Amino acid sequence: LIERVGENEATAEMANRIKSAVSMVDNVCVSMTPAALKTTYMQELILSYKFRYIVLPKFSPDYLKNITNSMLNNVCYEDIDADDIVNLCKRKMGTFIAEENIAELIQVMYEHMTNEKRDTITKNDLFATVVEGKMSKKLSEYIGLEGLKRAEKKLLALKREAINNSKLGQVGSNFLFVGPPGTGKTTGARLLASEMSDYGVSNGNVYMASRADIVGEYVGHTAPNVRKLFLNARGGVLFVDEAGFFTQKDTGGYVKEAIKEFVRFMEIYRDVTVVFALYKDEAEEFLNLDSGLTSRINDIIEFPDYTYGELVDIAKQMFLENGYILDSKLGVLIEEFAKNRKNFLNEKFGNAREMRKLVEETISQYAIRTFEGGKDNQISEDDIKKAISEIQNNKIEKVKFGFHI
């Protein structure tokens, strides 16, 4: 509990309860991660109550793999290996994981297997321990995102070089993600954090921030907000969504204050990877807000509109991931839908979001058609046509009051 408070300085009420608790005993010993040890609350607890602490070690990949293999020897398993389990642990727990984290994950997998009345653990049991199983995919498996793939390779190589060469010091890694809606900017940030964690250069966490989290209501509130974001994101990725608000003209001095604080903390906390997500026409104005931005942002990654062929492939991939079979001939219908949607929505076209909308509505039509039985997970032409008709006839889209569909 103290470790969790130490990693999130926003939980002041919980910290105060802990202070009250430790003040009532004579001897306290706490284990924590190095990141938790550095936080203000933990330092205050240590100085105020003089309790002893143990810093958790960062176990080597080989050690964790051997431990995992040893635990797997006690169960039947297939289609899974120690690396799968260790990597998922890192994504869920951060870089500093221990034997008990691995044991707990295997136990959850075992329980899921038992509930399904099977006697062998498989990758399905591993994915069941994650709220979003699809996030276990690698960046290389995603359609498009070529700019991010190139930038990630360079970043990981540089981060690992810094680990091997102490003279380099801590390498900063901050990005502009530039592109229209639905092109993978948010997904890209999560994948970047996950794969950095796999290489041991991040804890795998992503902290989302919007204008409301950054800009204060009164003078003097903005700087503490930005500092809190960086403290919470130590060792992970800080993703600032729709960062175009920084370029708005009617925000007084609050936004300027926020930018200055970002520039300052990007230099101080180089273990935080900051990602600003903007539209393409906002990028140049954003960089001109402060001369320090250009020197602290390592790369500008463009997320272009997907081609119609890529959108069809994305829809097919979504059907497959959800366990449905799609005849390749139906790709023509999906491409036609994508073209019509883009013509209708113009700059508000949602790219992959439109494909997700189509896939979800098609699955609904399939479910209605097979409600009385005869399920074979085969998507029919009629399912897709009805889904397209349902989406196109949605009355909300026709209301001209600026709704962003």
Side-chain angles (χ1 to χ4, degrees), residues 147-148 151 174-180 184-190 192 237 239-240 243 273-280 283 297 299-303:
L148 179 59
N174 306 299
F175 300 93
L176 286 191
F177 283 6
V178 178
K185 296 188 293 295
T186 304
T187 298
R190 296 188 183 281
L192 183 64
V237 172
F239 182 74
V240 184
T273 296
V274 182
V275 177
F276 297 100
L278 309 99
Y279 296 132
K280 190 173 183 178
I297 290 175
D299 214 339
I300 300 174
I301 301 173
E302 187 172 353
F303 290 71

Side-chain angles (χ1 to χ4, degrees), residues 61 155-165 168 198-201:
L155 171 64
L156 292 176
L158 190 57
K159 288 277 191 181
R160 291 303 295 267
E161 181 63 22
I163 291 174
N164 297 326
N165 182 0
L168 280 179
D198 289 347
Y199 279 83
V201 295

Side-chain angles (χ1 to χ4, degrees), residues 82-98:
D83 286 334
D84 294 325
I85 295 172
V86 171
N87 289 338
L88 181 58
C89 262
K90 287 179 180 178
R91 292 173 191 175
K92 291 167 71 70
M93 308 294 297
T95 302
F96 290 86
I97 59 174

Side-chain angles (χ1 to χ4, degrees), residues 5 9 48 75 129 145 170 189 200 234 281 298 301 326 341:
V5 172
E9 299 220 358
S48 299
V75 297
T129 67
L145 306 183
Q170 200 165 32
R234 294 294 302 273
D281 59 356
N298 301 67
I301 301 173
L326 185 76
R341 290 293 285 176

Side-chain angles (χ1 to χ4, degrees), residues 3-41:
E3 179 185 332
R4 291 177 184 175
V5 172
E7 293 184 8
N8 183 358
E9 299 220 358
T11 52
E13 181 182 351
M14 191 182 295
N16 287 332
R17 292 180 183 176
I18 292 174
K19 291 176 187 177
S20 299
V22 298
S23 66
M24 292 186 288
V25 295
D26 296 325
N27 201 345
V28 180
C29 182
V30 183
S31 64
M32 67 186 80
T33 65
L37 179 61
K38 296 176 183 177
T39 58
T40 304
Y41 283 144

